[in-house]
Amino acid sequence: MVYAGPIILGFLLGFILGTRIKENPESKLKFDTSVYMVTLIFAVAMAYFLGAFPYYTDVPFASGFVAAFIGIIVGKLLFGRGRSIENED
């Protein structure tokens, strides 16, 4: 049995946080696909070591944590806040 509560809540919170991430044009950091994939691997590893939520025995890792990370990435890619031209006064 898969418990959808932590997954949905984690994704929604991550999605909201992802939409609030701003890019800094002065920064030399560029996040391409490989950075997101490596970070996803580390997030899944961290979720495995965190373990499942109490009384949830569907998967051996914190599914809400992974869903929150995926929500951050999706929110950033879809609605990430860019720097607008009118704010450069």
Side-chain angles (χ1 to χ4, degrees):
M1 174 181 253
V2 176
Y3 296 100
I7 296 171
I8 293 170
L9 183 63
F11 183 81
L12 286 176
L13 289 175
F15 186 81
I16 291 169
L17 288 174
T19 60
R20 304 299 298 171
I21 295 175
K22 297 180 184 179
E23 289 186 18
N24 187 357
E26 291 88 26
S27 175
K28 302 286 188 232
L29 297 174
K30 300 294 179 197
F31 292 102
D32 54 354
T33 307
S34 62
V35 174
Y36 289 118
M37 294 307 294
V38 169
T39 310
L40 178 63
I41 291 169
F42 281 114
V44 170
M46 183 183 288
Y48 177 76
F49 288 117
L50 281 172
F53 290 113
Y55 308 110
Y56 295 163
T57 58
D58 53 346
V59 290
F61 58 88
S63 57
F65 183 81
V66 175
F69 177 77
I70 293 171
I72 288 172
I73 299 302
V74 170
K76 170 69 177 110
L77 293 177
L78 291 180
F79 300 110
R81 299 182 72 172
R83 191 170 183 174
S84 62
I85 295 172
E86 61 267 1
N87 288 338
E88 293 185 8
D89 291 335

